[in-house]
Amino acid sequence: MSFTASVKSEVAANELKECCAKAQCSALIKMCSTLNINAQGMYLTIQSESAPTAKKILKLLKDRYQIHSELSVMKKMNLKKNNIYVLRIFDNTQMILNDLEIMDKNGLRSHPSAKMVSKDCCARAFLAGAFLAGGSVNSPNKTNYHLEIATGDEKLAKFIQRLMERFYLPAKIITRRNQQVVYLKSSEKIADFLKCIEATNSVFEFEDVRIQRDFMNSLTRLDNCDFANEMKSLAAGKKQCEDIEYLENYGALEFLPTKIKQAALLRKKHPEASLNELCEYYEQEYLETISKSGMRHRLNKMAEIAATYRKQEN
């Protein structure tokens, strides 16, 4: 099961209050159904590739309205060959559409009134319905984070965007193949959206995988940083050893100030040691503590003296 399917299955299983059930049903019918007219009158055709979504729609309609329905399953002919669940509603079609604020005396509406989603619980239920109908979210195991809700109605997309912004979810909208896509990219905001639609277990799974990935990325960055520092230390040590060798050949090593000479001899003895390690060797050798900056200062002074002798020689 994909992560999207897992989220939808969890959201569809949530129990709803009566006001929330109406808001969620409105989102589902608006986004999943088409209105058909024949000699007998109007009827609704509702399609979904998600079994939990189709079951949720049927449950919400049966709980709220007296309906006669017909359910069928088709199979796509493309490579994935997904099932398509088709639900047809023949009774009380206009009453259902009016009650859900999908239709009024002026015709079909793009979205319900603000009154239907005035409560936060109803707004969350509407967003949950929109996700069940047209939503998807990348698996947290993937390297990029992406959650989206796609609809063919631009006004509905903007309505969904405003609802998400109400819960501090900064969604954006793009057009993709004649679809309006409301999307989130931030991993934190995707987790907040999953909390908003009460996909609690999915939030835990999402956050667990995300934290593990962030932890491993941090370790990798630290390893890379340590490796880079080690390479710098080796390069600095090599240059210092060259300076020491030059001073020895020039006969100047013996005439260096005592503390600088001690640091130079330690570096010669331990050419690949880091500054911290040199400080420890210095304490063992001379029974005197020295800081990392102190050791760096002495080695830098030794390098300056070597540079001075080279300049004089040239």
Side-chain angles (χ1 to χ4, degrees):
M1 181 185 291
S2 69
F3 187 63
T4 295
S6 176
V7 174
K8 289 186 176 183
S9 181
E10 182 179 1
V11 172
N14 289 335
E15 293 296 326
L16 300 170
K17 295 187 290 187
E18 186 176 349
C19 60
C20 299
K22 180 178 178 180
Q24 189 167 112
C25 191
S26 177
L28 286 164
I29 298 301
K30 174 64 184 174
M31 295 180 66
C32 289
S33 68
T34 55
L35 181 61
N36 305 276
I37 301 175
N38 59 15
Q40 285 73 42
M42 294 189 300
Y43 68 94
L44 286 174
T45 301
I46 303 165
Q47 292 189 14
S48 176
E49 292 184 28
S50 166
T53 299
K55 290 178 183 177
K56 187 68 173 182
I57 295 172
L58 184 57
K59 182 179 186 303
L60 289 172
L61 289 174
K62 280 190 172 181
D63 288 347
R64 190 171 182 86
Y65 310 105
Q66 297 294 322
I67 62 166
H68 168 62
S69 62
E70 179 184 287
L71 179 64
S72 58
V73 181
M74 300 187 298
K75 191 174 285 291
K76 274 188 172 182
M77 298 307 295
N78 61 8
L79 292 175
K80 292 183 179 180
K81 293 184 169 58
N82 294 340
N83 287 336
I84 302 177
Y85 302 91
V86 182
L87 180 65
R88 292 182 176 84
I89 309 297
F90 297 100
D91 299 327
N92 303 320
T93 300
Q94 186 162 352
M95 183 270 288
I96 292 171
L97 296 177
N98 289 338
D99 184 56
L100 297 177
E101 299 186 12
I102 296 173
M103 177 184 280
D104 59 20
K105 61 182 180 181
N106 297 317
L108 293 173
R109 301 175 53 155
S110 294
H111 56 78
S113 66
K115 183 179 178 181
M116 182 183 286
V117 291
S118 59
K119 297 179 183 177
D120 283 351
C121 62
C122 295
R124 291 190 183 96
F126 189 92
L127 288 174
F131 184 81
L132 285 172
S136 65
V137 56
N138 280 6
S139 167
N141 291 304
K142 293 189 175 180
T143 54
N144 63 317
Y145 299 105
H146 184 83
L147 180 145
E148 67 177 45
I149 298 173
T151 174
D153 191 318
E154 183 178 357
K155 291 182 179 179
L156 179 59
K158 289 180 178 178
F159 182 76
I160 292 170
Q161 182 187 37
R162 289 196 298 273
L163 282 184
M164 292 172 74
E165 289 172 347
R166 178 168 155 186
F167 297 104
Y168 307 101
L169 300 167
K172 295 182 180 179
I173 299 177
I174 57 169
T175 302
R176 185 202 300 146
R177 295 193 293 273
N178 299 321
Q179 289 274 300
Q180 301 298 311
V181 180
V182 187
Y183 70 93
L184 294 168
K185 284 286 189 182
S186 164
S187 58
E188 290 83 2
K189 294 305 178 182
I190 291 173
D192 289 343
F193 179 85
L194 296 177
K195 292 175 194 172
C196 179
I197 62 174
E198 298 185 358
T200 308
N201 292 332
S202 298
V203 173
F204 288 145
E205 180 183 350
F206 183 86
E207 291 286 46
D208 184 51
V209 174
R210 185 174 72 87
I211 289 169
Q212 288 185 39
R213 171 181 285 117
D214 290 347
F215 178 71
M216 293 305 297
N217 288 342
S218 296
L219 285 181
T220 302
R221 283 193 294 271
L222 286 173
D223 286 343
N224 291 339
C225 184
D226 289 342
F227 178 74
N229 289 337
E230 187 175 344
M231 294 303 294
K232 287 179 182 178
S233 295
L234 290 173
K238 182 181 178 183
K239 176 64 171 61
Q240 289 159 2
C241 287
E242 290 173 356
D243 289 337
I244 293 166
E245 184 179 358
Y246 176 82
L247 290 172
E248 280 185 318
N249 294 336
Y250 199 82
L253 187 62
E254 292 299 320
F255 299 101
L256 292 177
T258 302
K259 292 185 177 181
I260 297 176
K261 179 182 176 183
Q262 289 172 345
L265 291 174
L266 269 181
R267 170 53 80 194
K268 180 182 178 182
K269 191 174 181 181
H270 306 284
E272 296 183 358
S274 66
L275 284 177
N276 284 329
E277 290 170 337
L278 282 179
C279 291
E280 292 176 5
Y281 294 142
Y282 187 90
E283 186 174 355
Q284 294 169 10
E285 187 86 15
Y286 301 108
L287 303 178
E288 181 184 343
T289 59
I290 184 173
S291 66
K292 185 177 174 181
S293 60
M295 179 61 71
R296 183 186 292 110
H297 174 74
R298 294 181 188 184
L299 290 172
N300 286 343
K301 290 297 291 183
M302 181 269 297
E304 289 174 9
I305 293 170
T308 301
Y309 277 115
R310 284 193 179 97
K311 191 179 291 184
Q312 291 175 353
E313 188 178 33
N314 293 335

